[in-house]
Amino acid sequence: MPESGSSRLPTRVELGVWRSFLRAHARITRVLEAELIAEQRLSLAAYDVLVQLAETPSMRMRMTELADAVLLSRSGVTRLVDRLERAGLVGRERADGDGRGIVAVLTPLGAERLRSASATHLAGVAEHFGESFGPGELEAFGRTCDRLAADDLYP
């Protein structure tokens, strides 16, 4: 891999594939978001917060960890958790042993809402993403995405 600041520019093919990747991500994300909002009145970002909390053993995460997990800024996740808290889907508590830390906690209503929204979202992922691949393509695409997302790829 070239070092950061390298003067190498992408080839025409690399740039074309990059743009295609961005268009595909944007299209699928828009469709999945529209389905969640229409059927569940829940944004994709809100769904992601509920999923992240549900996937922890304690159903809670520090706000900073949650921001990293859902790829939002700290202020963005704070505003989103504010809305989810007003809806009764998430609560906030002080972090154990740390008077300054705050954790977001999935409420029973939030867990129920997540179960309902998961049916919509997972059906959409299967239809708009999974069905786009032929035999063997999905696994190869997954390996490529894993390589691109690896923390050790870019220091």
Side-chain angles (χ1 to χ4, degrees):
M1 298 293 341
E3 292 183 28
S4 182
S6 168
S7 61
R8 183 175 106 61
L9 298 175
T11 66
R12 187 177 300 259
V13 170
E14 288 169 336
L15 195 54
V17 171
W18 169 246
R19 289 176 177 162
S20 180
F21 173 76
L22 291 177
R23 281 192 305 274
H25 177 269
R27 185 191 72 74
I28 292 170
T29 301
R30 277 194 305 267
V31 169
L32 294 175
E33 172 112 59
E35 289 175 351
L36 271 173
I37 290 171
E39 295 179 28
Q40 303 292 331
R41 295 183 325 276
L42 195 67
S43 71
L44 192 55
Y47 175 83
D48 193 15
V49 164
L50 298 179
V51 167
Q52 296 300 324
L53 293 173
E55 289 182 344
T56 66
S58 62
M59 304 274 195
R60 65 188 65 232
M61 288 179 84
R62 285 182 166 275
M63 293 290 287
T64 54
E65 294 168 348
L66 185 57
D68 290 342
V70 298
L71 305 177
L72 287 175
S73 66
R74 289 180 183 175
S75 62
V77 84
T78 297
R79 288 189 300 272
L80 181 53
V81 169
D82 286 345
R83 290 190 299 274
L84 293 172
E85 189 174 31
R86 283 193 298 274
L89 306 179
V90 172
R92 288 183 213 224
E93 297 176 357
R94 292 262 177 229
D96 292 336
D98 181 0
R100 297 178 303 149
I102 300 291
V103 295
V105 182
L106 185 65
T107 65
L109 180 61
E112 179 56 38
R113 193 69 190 282
L114 175 59
R115 277 190 286 283
S116 175
S118 289
T120 298
H121 181 67
L122 297 177
V125 169
E127 178 183 353
H128 306 297
F129 180 75
E131 292 177 5
S132 299
F133 294 91
E137 289 178 327
L138 186 60
E139 293 82 3
F141 184 69
R143 286 189 301 275
T144 300
C145 288
D146 286 346
R147 195 169 58 245
L148 290 172
D151 288 337
D152 60 350
L153 186 60
Y154 301 100

